[in-house]
């Protein structure tokens, strides 16, 4: 029997990021497990914690160790494999163990300590306390003496707490307003005591149900026993006997038109039982999903499926990269792989980008697997999310579909993780813990000898490179390719429109003549158009509208960002800066300005240029409300609009039969984003958007408007040529030393005072450099040696100040098996300890996706 538990406490600080030893009280020893959530005393507080291991011995003195105060759930929220995964995540992403553990449970279980007040029996009170109250146990506590000894209200409060059990301070304060001092007095005298306990944000929802408590002969007797006055009770019992199963109290009352009192009396007689039964809040309860049957696979699908099924059957860990053009039927492969997995008694997780958690995606999984599917995403209410999660934990479902964090779905016997659109940036969490769901999936699958399928029409260069070279340290997926569309439809024709020519010919509008005519033709034919505004974050680069010239950094090959205040251009990576030009350095044109167009402006233009046009705008502003996403898409499907205009949101997973035209307003705005992945993101977006057109019987047409029509990402996307794109892009990455040829760690330091921050950041970088040199890590990334390590910066962050805190960053690039993350973490901890400056914060982002 274990007597010691190592507990990670929910106290967010560097010093507490280690396990603490607690004694397990006798009564809990049968129940406590690795992964149990507990309440423990910590300093003067009670805090929530997670048990990460159970021990017989501790290096600490038992008499000085504290006891676990409470076990918070009878089923631990985390199975042991997730606890182990959390510890791995904390090392891999340089974050605290508690933040990893918290990321794995629904927010409903993020309990906080509440203060409770309870009544203390006289013998429980500290000795020597003056009492003088009715509770001295002298046996004189009649109402009379009571009112003599103390004001009535004090006794009232005592009696109330005595009867109600532990109550929160807030509750008591609300019940007896203005009696704070009196309550305090009672606490001072020890009559009332204070304790802390963890309270969950949300409770399990229950409903009252009623069922018959008698059967057979007993029931006959019971029915015969009612008097004429108890006619209604008899009716209820007869009904309960007839339905045989427990029925909701509310339903019973409305069906029979009886009162709750009648049912209660029946229960008091022992003929019926009233029980609280747990219910699951089901976000999809009012929706019917059309059941679908497996399709006969095409030869390409069959080959892919056979590979996957082989690994599933042999219970071997394996990672597959399923590269299939849009509409090649990847989803059908996922569905059949899941079917195979669950028929073998294991469970499956399907990860989709948050943005594509549209009803269409959910429908495909619910349609095939019905009630076996739980859905987890951020648009559910806290309660709904909690209940979907409980269905997984309690083994009531076999498939979990969800965004990033669904990778932590606590299945006991995981067999398969599918990651659709594996290239999506939303798989990287931007807050602590800054994990990438792809890496976590691979790790988790390895724990379970399970299979991972990474699917995409445009795989990330990291995954594709790893599959091709089979040399990655982390994973080397098996590449599976699907090049055809089973439905037989062709990929749409993509035409690049040179916007410089438009300007030359006097067209100053944001729509080219071709796109303009295309929209008009669709309106006339009753077909639909999707307009896509390629916009990521704030795009403030400077471009010449005459020749397409974009100001770029001479060192880093990314576009410079325009800073309005200082009217200069700056590189977000190396800090290079130059004054903003007033004429184009290439062609001398004055049409050079900073660029950035919003959806609202496009909407306005549309109304002006196309009289009577009906537009649905979909962006972060119009989709705040729950369900709005769905509503807008339904309206578009029902052809209540000619045009669907939007950002990234319209690019993915949507499938409308009457969309025959897709227009990309400005392909360049993502291309010139200050990010070494800009070309990759542009290629991916254009491919995705183009895949929206002509998916059914009507052929599709795509116009891509650009000021840099010769860019390889735009040309290859227009030809649906992923391989050529990869070839060109890998060349760039290799030359410049970016992933997949190295890994990155972004360190951001913030402080209220700029001068202090600059000094600290410089010290940090030189410390890091010194330590790396001691280890002999330094080697140029440009020399293609197998091991390499380099530090760029420190420079001001792209967003140099947030909430009055200045931000500086440095970027570590490395290649090889060295533990660079640990070194960065150590130096960061040393810096924080050494400086003891409370204002300084250091954040570490491993494999960053956003370089802000
Ligand atoms: P992807 O996920 O690769 O973009 P989808 O799974 O959406 O592709 O498939 C595109 C279309 O092809 C869907 O309408 C789907 O029902 C259909 N489809 C997929 N597999 C088959 C098949 N084996 N036979 C017939 N139709 C199929
Ligand atoms: Zn120019
Ligand atoms: Zn630069």
């Amino acid at each position: 029997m274990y007597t010691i538990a190592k507990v990670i406490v929910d106290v967010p600080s560097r010093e507490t990021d280690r396990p603490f030893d607690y004694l397990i009280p006798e009564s809990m020893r049968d129940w406590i497990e690795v992964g149990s959530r507990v309440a423990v005393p910590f300093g003067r507080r009670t805090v929530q914690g997670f048990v990460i291991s159970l021990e017989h011995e501790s290096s600490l003195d038992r008499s000085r160790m504290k006891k676990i105060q409470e076990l918070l759930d009878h089923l631990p929220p985390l199975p042991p494999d997730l606890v182990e995964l959390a510890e791995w995540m904390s090392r891999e992403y340089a974050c605290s163990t508690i933040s990893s553990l918290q990321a794995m449970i629904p927010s409903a279980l993020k309990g906080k300590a509440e203060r409770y007040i309870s009544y203390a029996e006289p013998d429980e009170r500290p000795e020597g306390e003056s009492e003088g109250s009715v509770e001295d146990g002298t046996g004189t506590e009649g109402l009379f003496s009571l009112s003599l000894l103390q004001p009535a209200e004090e006794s009232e409060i005592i009696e109330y707490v005595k009867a109600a059990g532990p109550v929160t301070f807030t509750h008591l304060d609300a019940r007896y307003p203005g009696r704070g001092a009196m309550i305090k007095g009672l606490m001072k005298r020890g009559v009332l005591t204070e304790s802390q306990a963890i309270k969950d944000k949300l409770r399990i929802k229950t409903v009252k149900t009623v069922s018959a408590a008698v059967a057979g002969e007993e029931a006959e007797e019971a029915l015969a026993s009612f008097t004429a006055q108890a006619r209604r009770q008899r009716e209820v019992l007869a009904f309960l006997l007839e339905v045989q199963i427990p029925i909701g109290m509310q339903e019973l009352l409305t069906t029979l038109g009886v009162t709750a009192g009648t049912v209660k009396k029946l229960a008091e007689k022992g003929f019926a039982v009233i029980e609280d039964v747990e219910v699951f809040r089901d976000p999809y309860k009012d929706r019917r999903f059309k059941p679908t049957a497996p399709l006969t696979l095409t030869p390409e699908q069959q080959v892919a499926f056979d590979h996957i099924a082989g690994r599933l059957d042999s219970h071997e860990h394996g990672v597959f990269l399923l590269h299939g053009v849009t509409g090649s039927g990847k989803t059908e492969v996922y569905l059949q792989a899941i079917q195979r997995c669950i028929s073998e008694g294991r469970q499956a997780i399907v990860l989709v980008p948050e943005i594509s958690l549209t009803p269409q995606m959910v429908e495909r999984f619910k349609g095939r697997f019905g009630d076996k599917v739980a859905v987890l995403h951020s648009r559910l209410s806290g309660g709904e999310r909690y209940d979907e999660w409980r269905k997984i934990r309690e083994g009531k479902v076999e498939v979990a579909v969800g965004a990033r964090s669904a990778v932590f779905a606590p299945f006991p016997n995981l067999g398969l993780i599918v990651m659709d659109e594996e290239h999506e940036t939303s798989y990287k969490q931007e807050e602590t813990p800054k994990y990438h769901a792809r890496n976590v999936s691979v790790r988790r699958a390895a724990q379970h000898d399970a299979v991972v399928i990474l699917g995409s029409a445009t795989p990330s260069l990291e995954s594709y490179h790893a599959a091709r070279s089979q040399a990655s340290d982390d994973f080397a997926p098996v590449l599976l390719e699907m090049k055809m569309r089973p439905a037989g439809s062709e990929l749409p024709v993509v035409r690049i429109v040179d916007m410089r020519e438009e300007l030359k010919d006097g067209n100053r509008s944001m729509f080219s003549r071709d796109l303009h005519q295309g929209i008009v033709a669709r309106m006339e034919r009753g077909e639909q158009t999707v307009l896509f505004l390629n916009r990521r974050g704030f795009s403030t680069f400077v471009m010449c509208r005459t020749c397409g010239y974009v100001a770029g950094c001479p060192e880093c090959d990314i576009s410079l960002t325009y800073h309005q205040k200082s009217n200069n251009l700056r590189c977000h990576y190396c800090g290079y800066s130059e004054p903003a030009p007033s004429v184009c350095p290439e062609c001398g044109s004055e049409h050079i300005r900073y660029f950035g167009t919003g959806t609202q402006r496009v909407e306005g233009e549309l109304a002006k240029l196309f009289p009577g046009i009906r537009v649905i705008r979909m962006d972060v502003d119009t989709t705040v409300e729950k369900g709005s996403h769905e509503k807008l898409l339904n309206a578009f499907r029902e052809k209540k609009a000619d045009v669907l205009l939007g950002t990234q949101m319209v690019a993915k997973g949507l499938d409308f039969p009457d969309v025959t035209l897709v227009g990309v307003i400005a392909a360049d705005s993502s291309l010139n984003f200050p990010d070494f992945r800009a070309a990759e993101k542009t290629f991916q977006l254009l491919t995705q958007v183009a895949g929206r057109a002509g998916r059914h019987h009507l052929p599709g047409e795509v116009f891509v408007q650009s000021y840099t029509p010769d860019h390889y990402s735009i040309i290859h996307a227009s030809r649906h040529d992923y391989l050529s794109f990869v070839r060109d892009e890998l060349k760039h990455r290799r030359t410049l030393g970016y992933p997949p040829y190295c890994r990155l760690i972004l360190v951001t330091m913030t402080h209220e005072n700029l001068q202090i921050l600059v000094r600290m950041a410089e010290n940090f970088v030189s410390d890091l450099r010194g330590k790396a040199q001691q280890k002999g890590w330094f080697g140029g990334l440009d020399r293609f040696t197998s091991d390499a390590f380099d530090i760029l910066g420190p420079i001001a962050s792209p967003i140099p100040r947030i909430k009055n805190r200045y931000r500086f960053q440095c970027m570590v690039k490395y290649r090889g098996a060295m533990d660079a993350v640990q070194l960065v973490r150590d130096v960061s901890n040393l810096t924080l300890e050494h400086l003891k400056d409370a204002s300084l914060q250091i954040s570490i982002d491993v494999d960053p996706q956003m370089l802000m």
Side-chain angles (χ1 to χ4, degrees), residues 500 543-550 583-592:
R500 297 170 304 186
M543 187 170 77
C544 170
R545 298 226 326 173
T546 306
C547 74
Y549 163 85
V550 172
V583 293
C584 173
E586 290 282 309
C587 74
S589 159
E590 283 173 7
H591 292 293
I592 187 160

Side-chain angles (χ1 to χ4, degrees), residues 310-372:
R311 281 289 173 93
L312 282 172
D313 294 349
S314 64
H315 286 216
E316 251 181 293
H317 174 52
V319 183
F320 294 94
L321 178 59
L322 180 57
H323 174 215
V325 299
T326 50
S328 59
K330 294 184 289 295
T331 312
E332 187 61 33
V333 175
Y334 305 154
L335 288 166
Q336 299 202 13
I338 294 166
Q339 183 64 59
R340 177 69 71 103
C341 168
I342 62 182
S343 71
E344 288 169 357
R346 296 200 285 172
Q347 301 89 37
I349 295 172
V350 183
L351 302 175
V352 294
E354 182 75 57
I355 235 154
S356 68
L357 261 175
T358 54
Q360 295 190 31
M361 202 63 189
V362 171
E363 212 166 293
R364 295 178 81 167
F365 291 92
K366 286 260 188 190
R368 191 68 58 88
F369 303 112
D371 288 345
K372 292 186 190 142

Side-chain angles (χ1 to χ4, degrees), residues 391-450:
K391 283 188 205 162
I392 298 166
R393 183 68 183 118
E394 291 167 15
K396 294 190 164 71
V397 292
E398 283 156 289
V399 182
V401 179
R404 185 174 62 220
S405 65
V407 70
F408 305 122
F411 283 126
N413 205 359
L414 188 63
L416 174 66
I417 302 177
V418 173
M419 181 181 244
D420 190 30
E421 311 282 5
E422 69 89 32
H423 60 275
E424 273 294 323
T425 27
S426 67
Y427 284 124
K428 177 78 197 296
Q429 176 151 299
E430 295 302 332
E431 314 91 60
T432 306
K434 298 178 180 174
Y435 67 92
H436 199 300
R438 189 197 297 130
N439 305 44
V440 176
S441 294
V442 172
R443 175 76 185 191
R444 185 143 196 240
Q447 288 180 309
H448 287 264
D449 295 321

Side-chain angles (χ1 to χ4, degrees), residues 552-558 560 570-576 738:
C553 175
E555 301 290 324
C556 304
D557 200 29
I558 59 157
L560 296 172
R570 226 175 296 165
C571 172
H572 281 169
Y573 284 9
C574 70
Y576 168 85
Y738 281 123

